[in-house]
Amino acid sequence: MTAAIVKVRDLVKDFAVPGGRAGAKAVLRAVNHISFDIALGETLGLVGESGSGKSTTGRLLVGLISATSGEIELFGETITGPGGGKRLETVRRKMQFVFQDPHGSLDPRMRVGDCIAEPLDGVGGFSRRDRADRVAELLETVGLPRAVADRYPHEFSGGQRQRIGIARALALRPEFLVCDEPVSALDVSMQAQIINLLLDLQDRFGLSYLFIAHDLAVVRSIAAHVAVMYAGALVEQAPKSVLYAAPKHPYTQALLDAVPRPEPDRVRAPALGGEIPSILNPPPGCAFSPRCPLVMERCRSERPMPRAIDAGHRVACHLYETKS
């Protein structure tokens, strides 16, 4: 079994926001006691609607924000809790972030070569020649000619800008990338090109990914394992082949039913109604209960906990508690 380079246990992230009584701060729980692993050289797809906590989870993993509680272990170093900040510095170069917006993530005042070289400049120790050679190598790695280093980001298409962002993420030769909806702003043909690029880079360099998306069809083409997130919590986790063939949680089933398929005679399930509840004022019990077509009385008062129903397959749903 491949070793896990990322281990997340009982992770929680709270934000204090205005809205409490008498001017007090209310607590918004964006990530609610989640646990998962990512194996060396593999991809975990993290899927859910907007507002489910996916991007917050990604930012927690690379240390862009700090956890409220729980544990994150990266490459054998626990970066949460006392002393976590110092341990984070020892592994920081091994991980990078690929942002959703390929335009907003690049400084429009900087030439492409300087955007890509920013991480190199941050650590220092590169001569001007070494810096230029590394930028040229990175551009060619992501399928762009080295001559574009002197151009500005606005001169490129969205797909080309995302390639530039990926090149920058690879500058320090990381082993783990958090890809936060890296293709959601691109058209379908460009999405396929970027997915193929990420798969090629994974094969060449042995990279591990957390691939965040709201589209299960996109995740299917890149992830080995899939975790489905709803209102800050993980409701189902399974190997890709298992989850797509036999989804268990009603929310996962609804997401898969919403994926377009070239089957004109297929009878589609009714569209999932409603929206993710406010995480400032979540419903008691299961957060999905107001929208669930299979809701039971206990769902409205008792929160289901994730439990294994098969090897590698975990579900947080009262329907499966007898199978634990």
Side-chain angles (χ1 to χ4, degrees):
M1 186 173 181
T2 306
I5 62 164
V6 178
K7 297 180 181 179
V8 175
R9 297 292 179 269
D10 206 27
L11 186 64
V12 173
K13 178 58 182 177
D14 293 336
F15 293 98
V17 297
R21 294 180 179 178
K25 297 286 187 179
V27 174
L28 184 155
R29 177 151 291 179
V31 175
N32 191 0
H33 296 280
I34 68 172
S35 301
F36 59 83
D37 293 343
I38 302 176
L40 177 67
E42 292 191 352
T43 300
L44 173 67
L46 185 58
V47 184
E49 294 170 278
S50 297
S52 61
K54 308 184 303 297
S55 295
T56 300
T57 300
R59 284 164 168 75
L60 286 166
L61 288 194
V62 297
L64 292 177
I65 55 177
S66 58
T68 301
S69 64
E71 182 177 292
I72 301 172
E73 182 184 303
L74 301 173
F75 305 99
E77 297 286 346
T78 301
I79 67 167
T80 47
K86 287 187 176 180
R87 291 189 291 271
L88 173 62
E89 292 305 315
T90 67
V91 297
R92 189 176 291 278
R93 287 182 61 169
K94 295 183 178 182
M95 55 190 183
Q96 289 294 327
F97 204 97
V98 178
F99 293 91
Q100 176 179 359
D101 181 1
H103 180 70
S105 63
L106 301 174
D107 190 332
R109 300 166 297 179
M110 295 174 63
R111 297 180 189 272
V112 162
D114 294 328
C115 289
I116 294 173
E118 241 185 330
L120 304 177
D121 298 338
V123 299
F126 291 87
S127 68
R128 182 177 296 182
R129 176 65 179 271
D130 290 342
R131 182 183 187 271
D133 287 347
R134 180 62 177 151
V135 168
E137 176 189 355
L138 288 163
L139 284 169
E140 292 180 348
T141 296
V142 299
L144 294 172
R146 59 178 62 198
V148 306
D150 290 329
R151 295 165 61 183
Y152 288 91
H154 73 270
E155 300 179 64
F156 297 88
S157 68
Q160 290 172 323
R161 284 195 293 264
Q162 194 58 285
R163 289 175 185 269
I164 294 165
I166 293 170
R168 181 175 62 182
L170 295 175
L172 297 177
R173 296 184 170 88
E175 299 174 43
F176 172 55
L177 295 184
V178 173
C179 303
D180 186 10
E181 303 220 34
V183 299
S184 64
L186 308 177
D187 62 40
V188 174
S189 62
M190 194 55 63
Q191 286 182 3
Q193 291 183 34
I194 296 300
I195 292 293
N196 288 336
L197 172 62
L198 290 171
L199 289 169
D200 177 62
L201 295 172
Q202 188 169 50
D203 288 340
R204 291 174 61 184
F205 303 122
L207 296 171
S208 305
Y209 298 138
L210 175 67
F211 189 92
I212 297 169
H214 62 270
D215 188 339
L216 274 167
V218 169
V219 168
R220 188 172 194 168
S221 63
I222 190 171
H225 299 268
V226 181
V228 180
M229 197 166 192
Y230 186 82
L234 294 181
V235 298
E236 187 164 4
Q237 298 180 63
K240 174 177 66 175
S241 59
V242 173
L243 185 129
Y244 284 86
K248 299 300 183 184
H249 197 281
Y251 180 59
T252 308
Q253 294 168 0
L255 290 180
L256 283 170
D257 284 337
V259 174
R261 299 177 195 171
E263 303 171 13
D265 296 330
R266 181 173 70 97
V267 178
R268 299 186 61 178
L272 184 64
E275 298 178 349
I276 289 181
S278 168
I279 48 180
L280 271 175
N281 185 29
C286 176
F288 188 59
S289 61
R291 305 172 70 188
C292 182
L294 302 176
V295 63
M296 301 180 292
E297 190 57 37
R298 69 180 299 195
C299 303
R300 306 184 195 279
S301 58
E302 183 181 343
R303 181 186 173 214
M305 303 306 295
R307 62 190 64 246
I309 62 170
D310 206 344
H313 195 170
R314 296 178 62 82
V315 181
C317 181
H318 291 310
L319 290 171
Y320 303 98
E321 290 192 356
T322 58
K323 299 182 180 180
S324 62

